[in-house]
Amino acid sequence: MLNKRLFHMGFQDVILALREFWLPCLLAWQDISVRYKRSKIGQLWLTLNTLIYISSLGLIFGTLFRLKLHEYLPNICAAILTWNFINLSISDGCLSFINSESIILQVNLPLFMHIIRTVARNLIIFAHNIIIFPIIAFSVGYNINFCVFLIIPGLVFILMNLLWVCIILSVLCTRFRDLHQVVTSILQIVFYATPVVWDVKVLPSTVSPLLFEMNPFYNFIDLVRKPLMGHPPHTSEWLFCGVLAVAGWGVALCVLGKYKQRIAYWL
């Protein structure tokens, strides 16, 4: 059972942060601008680095496994772009409060603002990198259809889940600093266990499909990858991510409500 008082305290913090939504978004944009200050091509480095990484990885694995590059390259591109967004959001989310220590100790702002700042920063990076997909798709002759617009609700579902995950992890990592390294190691394992650079079709028939259908990261990635590849996600994937978001937010708001007064003492 959820504690109603704690839930209300966490919910109030979120509502106050959303009323001033522009502030964390502005800070997120500033974070990226500062990172590439005095660079001649600036934020274009985000796209160039990712393009080189995806192209190299796609050509190497495509050649090794003798896959059709006109299908594999767009597939791996969509998967890696989505995975990078999820991975960076969770990894940075662990340090949301720690990296905002000076602000938290000096200015009385809703703590959820710092979560929004982290996720918004990585969403901006994703927006920079998403232009890579049409470049690769057109270069290998892969056609894009109107299903591509389904990435918008797909991203909304992903964002709703990333935000509650970051709330919980940011609280825990502020109290237990070593936990960030544990989360980073787990994400590395999840990357290889999730069909990102490899396809489910290569697995033997003895492997149950439930192994992937119950993997949240696989469902998150498919909400973006399938529309980009011209296919709508399955209803079960929408339902899985929706139910996970509702349950996760219930827990996250209670955690935020219970520990929000202690964050400043832990910093």
Side-chain angles (χ1 to χ4, degrees), residues 153-250:
L155 284 173
V156 171
F157 273 70
I158 293 174
L159 285 171
M160 293 301 297
N161 281 282
L162 286 178
L163 287 169
W164 72 258
V165 169
C166 289
I167 289 174
I168 296 175
L169 290 178
S170 61
V171 172
L172 294 176
C173 290
T174 303
R175 179 64 180 88
F176 306 102
R177 300 298 174 94
D178 292 335
L179 186 59
H180 177 239
Q181 301 301 326
V182 175
V183 173
T184 302
S185 299
I186 292 175
L187 287 173
Q188 291 177 347
I189 297 173
V190 171
F191 173 74
Y192 293 107
T194 304
V196 179
V197 297
W198 53 275
D199 199 316
V200 178
K201 297 177 182 178
V202 302
L203 294 175
S205 57
T206 55
V207 179
S208 173
L210 287 176
L211 183 65
F212 303 100
E213 292 173 359
M214 299 305 294
N215 180 347
F217 295 93
Y218 176 66
N219 286 275
F220 294 158
I221 290 173
D222 263 6
L223 291 185
V224 173
R225 173 169 53 185
K226 283 188 176 179
L228 289 176
M229 296 298 294
H231 310 290
H234 293 301
T235 304
S236 60
E237 293 172 330
W238 295 109
L239 184 61
F240 179 90
C241 295
V243 172
L244 188 63
V246 172
W249 269 101

Side-chain angles (χ1 to χ4, degrees), residues 41-104:
I41 62 175
Q43 299 164 12
L44 186 59
W45 280 116
L46 295 171
T47 306
L48 287 176
N49 291 336
T50 308
L51 176 60
I52 294 171
Y53 173 71
I54 291 175
S55 301
S56 302
L57 201 63
L59 290 173
I60 292 172
F61 277 89
T63 304
L64 287 176
F65 294 111
R66 299 179 180 178
L67 301 172
K68 298 178 180 178
L69 292 181
H70 76 280
E71 293 181 357
Y72 180 69
L73 276 176
N75 193 356
I76 191 176
C77 176
I80 289 180
L81 289 176
T82 311
W83 167 260
N84 285 348
F85 171 52
I86 297 171
N87 180 41
L88 289 174
S89 296
I90 294 176
S91 182
D92 291 350
C94 293
L95 304 175
S96 292
F97 297 152
I98 297 174
N99 291 337
S100 302
E101 177 180 356
S102 59
I103 298 177
I104 293 175

